């Protein structure tokens, strides 16, 4: 059942985020993080890794390393790896 949720909901969602917000990187990072939080809550931690890694990369490019958004995104990524 979770595989179907991943394939039918999250895969198209992540693709749409990538297309629609390719020029608005801050918005893209926020949307990716929200999607990965939901994926993790549903038990799709493995599938959430790549989009969260992308969100961290984007935020690191846009903000200083010690910015709270970067730190929060890194923390979220760590929690995905620990799940």
């Amino acid at each position: 059942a979770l595989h179907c949720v991943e394939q039918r909901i999250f895969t198209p969602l992540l693709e749409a985020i990538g297309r629609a917000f390719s020029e608005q990187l801050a918005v893209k990072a926020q949307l990716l993080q929200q999607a990965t939080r939901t994926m993790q809550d549903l038990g799709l931690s493995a599938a959430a890794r790549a989009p969260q890694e992308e969100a961290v990369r984007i935020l690191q490019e846009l903000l200083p390393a010690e910015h709270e958004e970067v730190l929060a995104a890194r923390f979220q990524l760590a929690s995905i790896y620990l799940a």
Side-chain angles (χ1 to χ4, degrees):
L2 282 179
H3 181 71
C4 288
V5 170
E6 178 185 346
Q7 293 301 310
R8 292 187 177 176
I9 296 173
F10 289 106
T11 298
L13 172 66
L14 295 171
E15 290 171 357
I17 290 170
R19 282 191 310 272
F21 299 96
S22 62
E23 300 297 320
Q24 297 170 303
L25 295 179
V27 174
K28 180 178 179 179
Q30 290 174 350
L31 292 171
L32 288 171
Q33 287 189 96
Q34 186 58 52
T36 59
R37 276 189 215 93
T38 304
M39 293 169 80
Q40 189 176 13
D41 289 346
L42 293 173
L44 296 168
S45 294
R49 284 185 193 138
Q52 184 61 30
E53 287 171 346
E54 183 177 2
V56 168
R57 181 189 53 75
I58 291 168
L59 291 171
Q60 286 176 332
E61 290 176 7
L62 297 176
L63 302 168
E66 67 281 353
H67 192 279
E68 67 182 68
E69 285 186 53
V70 175
L71 297 174
R74 287 180 184 165
F75 179 80
Q76 186 176 346
L77 181 59
S79 71
I80 290 169
Y81 275 103
L82 294 173

